[in-house]
Amino acid sequence: MKSHLDEQQLNDCADDTLDPADRGRAEAHLAACDACRAAIDRLRQLRSELASLPRSITPPPHVLMGVRAMALAAPALHPERRWYTRPPLLAAAAVLLVVISSATTALLLRQPSGVGTGATAPPPTLSTGSAGLVAVHAMERSYEDAIAEVQRALREQQSSLAPETLHVLQANLDIVDRALAEARSALRADPGNDALTALVRSGYERKLDVLRSATSHARARS
Amino acid sequence: MLISTVPEEPLIRPPDAEPELIRRAQLGDSNAFDALYALTAGRVFAVLLRLCADRDTAERLTQDTFVLAWRRLDTFRGQSRFTSWLHRIAVNVMLQDSRASERRESRVIAVSDDVLHAAAGRASGSELRLDLEWAIARLPAGARTALVLHDIEGYTHDEIAAMTGVAQGTVKSQLHRARRLLQERLDR
């Protein structure tokens, strides 16, 4: 018997992509070679199994949130320049949303949700028509108070968190803080901008979310 | 919250909805783009989840893909399927992800079970699918890309070569290598 079909020929047979010139030779060989026929059958079986895998897997909701923050606000189709076209702020918006999906944050957020944090209720929201400097200060003060309370609770429990978890948690908080600082700076310059107000509020909410989840996680482990 | 709620994908959508949604989105209708996302995000995420073998990376690159899609939507002329157009962007995004290659190679082993279960689905034969997804995730990046795009997504060697910037012959050899490695791992 002539030598067996090589890997490419076997795959071409399984895919039905053999050149006509090669097809006759391959078929002649296969008529007398059980091993090559079996190899082609196995390749076809593998292809069938691969083709049966799901081709659609729904991404988590925060992916769309990130798309909206980064893309839908961007003036790709509408050239008027708006606040979110400024790269640092676009990056800040992105960071605020991306950070929540980091591995450690995801780990923390998967913890049982029923554990209380001892934190106060979320700070009051700001009506879009009152986004003056005084109102911005009030909003920030309210969030800072809530964050300070959660941080106190976390400090009491943090000994139950693994050092690497604390390290990544701090890194994430640093990222949020940097993004928040960008957004707050922009809001100082444009205190009536509702979108910037929403971005700042979102940053504070992210920070609270991370801290609360970490506190819950720590309490669950203690 | 900065963002409103996620739109629900309707159970039944008229088959001709996609072209109209694309047309409206190209005019700047963000609600139409949301609806397009609902229609197509699963296809993009599935590809990236398998190509990256890492859930966080796949989520980030899915986001980047749709950001780019929104910005480039006016260049879509309907000469290919919309999902194919999105997949091309997704593969580009994946390839351009500067940190991806090193991390992907080192994190292949760390593919979490929830990712594999999500990819394998819960239908009958899910154990086999789980084994298969696990074996795919452990393939070398180039072989994995060729296999996912050819054997799961159904793209031709030429189309994959155009997407990835790799010669057609290389795509074929990577595909054959991927199948061989898969068979070896599944036979153990």
Side-chain angles (χ1 to χ4, degrees), chain A residues 68-88:
Chain A
R68 282 175 173 164
M70 294 176 68
L72 299 187
L77 304 174
H78 305 285
E80 69 269 25
R81 189 162 178 79
R82 299 162 72 176
W83 68 267
Y84 34 63
T85 63
R86 283 179 262 165

Side-chain angles (χ1 to χ4, degrees), chain A residues 7 11 15 42 54 68 71, chain B residues 34 50 70 119 179-180 187:
Chain A
E7 184 174 61
N11 277 277
D15 294 341
R42 289 180 65 223
R68 282 175 173 164
Chain B
D34 270 6
R50 291 190 175 106
W70 170 254
R179 290 172 176 171
R180 173 168 29 87
D187 285 347

Side-chain angles (χ1 to χ4, degrees), chain A residues 5 9 28 32 57 95 98 109 116-117 132 149 160 188 192 198 204 208:
Chain A
L5 301 183
Q9 290 169 321
I57 301 168
V95 163
V98 167
L109 293 177
T117 61
E149 186 168 345
S160 62
R188 288 278 182 280
Y204 279 120
L208 272 172

